[in-house]
Each structure stands twice: as structure tokens, then as C-alpha cells.
Amino acid sequence: MGRPRWGNPESVASARSQVLLDIDAGGGIAWITLNRPEKRNALSVPMRDRIADLFDQLAIDDRVRVIVIRGNGPSFSSGNEINEDWGQRGPEYKRFTVTHAYRYSSELTWGRTSFSQVIARSPKVVITSAQGFCAAAAYFLLAAKSDLVVVADDVKIGALEARFLGPASSVASLNLNRAIGAKAARYSGYTGAAMNAHDAYACGFACHVSPLADLQVDTARIAAEIAARPTAELSRLKARVKGGDSLMDNNVPVVSGLLASHFLRSHSDEMSFWKAVKEGGVGGALKQDKARAAASGGVSS
Amino acid sequence: MSTDTTLLADHVCLITVGDAAALDRRESIAGEQLRDALLSTSDDDDVKAIILAGLTTGRFAGLVGPQDAHPGTRASYSGTRGLHQVVTYCKKVVIAEVDGQVGPTASALCLAADFVVSTSQSTFASPFSVPEANYPLAVLTMRANRTKAWMFRGGELDARSAYEAGFVNELVPGKSLRQATTDLGRRVALMPLDGLTVSKMNIGAAFDVIGVGREFDATEASVAAGGASW
């Protein structure tokens, strides 16, 4: 008997139009498009479920050799939706429990069938094409799990959630440490600062930087270049990456971060993010955080 | 043309590959000769640094793999005492000297070497068409995403890009290349022999911790199983 998936009726019903799939069968490329631009493509649980389902579907589609993930609108994605009840607490839960947190975080990151693992372990070559914000979960669970990252020159990539949600999962991600270097991963997590396009290219996170207007064309060119290689060769290379990642424990996810996130409380000196969200929405909370940082002489990204 | 070994300076040995293209053809004898030269030199107490030269081939015409069905060829390239593992776990410091177009096998050997000194007009073919190009070592050398981008996009990396990615240590003009590698060898030679030896032992152990050795073992098994499919 399957477990009911999380999500409210509206978010479940919207997921199909918020995550679009186009397959260019002749070219061997599948395009997954995040299509919730009014919310900077914030990922609800049903959207993440749909992405995972699409990856499962594409894994066994012989027409597809390359999967591109991109976002409609000014930003690739701001990360996980945080206006929905944190972790989509179901009506059966009277309070947050470790068991509840375990399910939420294992479905998000560390279960072998989770959202991020299905991307990291895909047998197809995965490219993220990002513009604007590529933040929080979109950074460390989506872009960082891709094989190649192509960015626009306006991109802002970072563990911005660390500003208010406690642990930045990026800090202890072996995968990310090996993608951008250990110091950069810690800087990213301990400051919440965003990488710009130059930083992302220089540290090795992005393989190509495009002017914003050229991002789609350049991504399509790179995807086509890879998809033109023989299927058997790509499959063999992906198998090597998968095997090598396994040997290096690259996909062993951070267990504690998301689990603990459910129980974090702000210090009395700190802004209570959730209280601020209740008062002014996410945008209001971010503005409040920025104002606090500016008032204290700090820099908020 | 066979592999040649000469003493270049005090404690610095030069091994010149006679025909690097033969390595891309996976000719058993070429792999064995280079491997044997490295093994005997690395066991010479008078040697601290080994310069590996003659690695360029001209335009790469594609790997030829059916010979891998022969156990001798597999042993000389993929085995524990095969060429790639001997360079990676060499007891002495290996400096790859590069001037020109580097084919995939020599690229994989550059990846395995401790240092790469290159002229600025050199190019490096993707090593990942060679089964022994070690993925964990590449990730450690040039980071994960750069490794995967080179892997999936294929093609040649120019010397400047290779330098910026951390694959090449030093870029020099062509006429200064031998001087630059010899100078680097001499700097290594100033180090105490036992210190260098223990450092090499330690880096070998570190490689094993992060999966380099296990990747080589997996490669040997897959080459033995797949043989001609490479």
C-alpha cells in the first residue's frame, strides 16, 4: 500500500503545469522547465515529486541522451517553497516529530529514491541552465547534482537559506565540496553569500557563462553537442561517473541538516524568520533580514 | 622507437617515450617498456624526480581497443602493475613535460603524474576515452564539474584552460620547457630522499582513501570483461 504523497490539493493539481516536459526526440534532448515564474520557480513538494517522476520516466526513454533543467522567468529557482507548511506536514501530524522530519528529509535528499538522488544517479547526462537566482535547494539539490551547469551572466548562486533556516546543507555536501572546493563550500554556507557568474565559472561550478539573452541558445548548443555523441559512449561515461561518485561517497547526503531544521529556534538576538513570514510573507522577511544586516554594518546577499 | 632513460641532473632522471601514438594504439610492448622504465627508475635510490617526456602525438585518430582482449595488453595498461597505476603510485616524483598535442593516453598519464609542465601552445585530448583515466583523481585534480564537463563534451583542452583548471602546474615558452622541467626536478631533488619517499607513501594512501585505487580495480575488471568494447 503506497503512502499518500504530501501536498495540498492546489499544489498537487498545479505541479503538472509548474514542471513542464518537452522531448526533442530527434535531438535526443529532454527539456524540464520549471514554470512558476511568479514565485521565482520555488519548488513545492508536488513539484519535486513530479521532477523525480520525470527523471524516472526519462531514465528508461531510449530517445533521450541529455536532460536539461531550466526555469521560466527571471530566476531559475529560489529553492524550496517555504510558504507551504514546512515539509508539508500532513493532517495526521499534531506536531513535528523526528519521524516526520525523517520522512521529509529522506524524500528530499538522502533516501536513494529521493528528489536529489534521482538527479544525481540519472543514467542520462544532466545539464542545469540557470539565470537570476539559483538558491538554496535549487543550488545544492538540483544544480549541484547535475553533470554540467550553464549560467547566465546575471546568475546568483548560493545557500541563501542559511541566512534564516539554520544549517546550510551545502557546507557538508561532499559533492559540492568537490565541485567548488572545500573553502568555497564553507564560505558559501557560513555566510549565505551568493556566487556571481564569474565566481561560479572560476571555482569550477559552471562550465559556461552566457549573456542572459544567449543562455537558451548556448545551453541548447552544448546539449546538442553532447547528445550527438554515440549513446553507448555516453552510457559508459555516465556509468563511470556513477561508479566513481560511489567510490568517493559523493552522493552520500547530509543527514542532519534538514532533520534538524524542523526543530531550530531563533536566538533572541536573531530575527525570527517564521514570525516575519507570518507578518509580511517571504518577501517581507527577506527585506527585514536585509535591513537588519545593513543596520549592523553587515552585508546581506 | 623504444623508451629511453637518461640521467639529466643529480637525482633527476629523464624518461623519453619513443612513440606516444603506440600508447593510444594500446600496443602491449610500448606500455610494458614505459612501465618497466618507470619501475626500475623509481627503485633507484639515486633518483628523486622523474621527468616524463615525449608524450605528444600529433592529431589523435581514435583509440584502438581490440588488443585489450589479450591478457598481456590488459596487464601492461590496466593491471595493478600496469602503466597508469605505476605512474599514479610511483615511488618518486613524476613530472610530465608537454609540448604539442597530447593524445588521450598521454593525457591520462599527465593526470596521474605529480606535476605537469606545458608549453602554452599545447593541447590535451580528453583522457576519458581511456578506461584507466581515473575519475576520482580527476575530481581531486580539477574538481567534479570541470571533470564531468570535459568528460561529456570531450574535445581538447588548450594549455591555458588546463592551467586554469588545475590540470597543468606551469606554462612556459617552448624554448624554456626542458629548462623549466629540469629546474623543477632540481627543486624536488633538494628534498631529503626519505622525506619524499614517505610523502609519496602518504599520498598513495590518501588516493586509496578517496577511491583512486578502487576505481583502478573496477576499471581492470571492466576492461577484462568488456575487452574489445573499449
Side-chain angles (χ1 to χ4, degrees), chain A residues 93-196:
Chain A
Y93 294 104
K94 301 292 183 207
R95 61 186 176 86
F96 284 123
T97 65
V98 171
T99 304
H100 170 245
Y102 178 91
R103 174 177 170 186
Y104 176 73
S105 46
S106 68
E107 288 186 0
L108 187 61
T109 61
W110 32 281
R112 287 177 77 89
T113 56
S114 68
F115 163 70
S116 71
Q117 297 283 320
V118 84
I119 297 169
R121 296 174 192 276
S122 171
K124 306 300 167 86
V125 179
V126 181
I127 300 175
T128 285
S129 174
Q131 78 285 6
F133 278 106
C134 173
Y139 162 46
F140 66 89
L141 294 183
L142 220 161
K145 298 296 184 186
S146 305
D147 296 306
L148 282 80
V149 180
V150 180
V151 296
D153 52 10
D154 73 335
V155 82
K156 292 178 277 290
I157 305 171
L160 309 188
E161 83 286 3
R163 293 282 309 154
F164 40 78
L165 284 180
S169 301
S170 55
V171 174
S173 157
L174 284 178
N175 177 55
L176 201 62
N177 273 269
R178 285 174 174 141
I180 69 175
K183 302 286 188 208
R186 277 177 272 182
Y187 183 78
S188 162
Y190 295 152
T191 67
M195 282 189 272
N196 61 27

Side-chain angles (χ1 to χ4, degrees), chain B residues 91-102:
Chain B
K91 298 185 189 82
K92 302 299 165 61
V93 175
V94 179
I95 302 164
E97 178 186 283
V98 172
D99 180 22
Q101 291 171 332
V102 180

Side-chain angles (χ1 to χ4, degrees), chain A residues 187-209:
Chain A
Y187 183 78
S188 162
Y190 295 152
T191 67
M195 282 189 272
N196 61 27
H198 173 267
D199 296 338
Y201 182 78
C203 76
F205 189 72
C207 72
H208 185 85
V209 179

Side-chain angles (χ1 to χ4, degrees), chain A residues 178 180 202 205 229 236 240, chain B residues 133 143-144 146 151-152 230:
Chain A
R178 285 174 174 141
I180 69 175
F205 189 72
R229 300 185 72 177
R236 177 172 59 76
R240 290 184 69 182
Chain B
R143 298 190 181 167
R146 288 194 188 108
M151 202 176 224
F152 293 120
W230 291 97

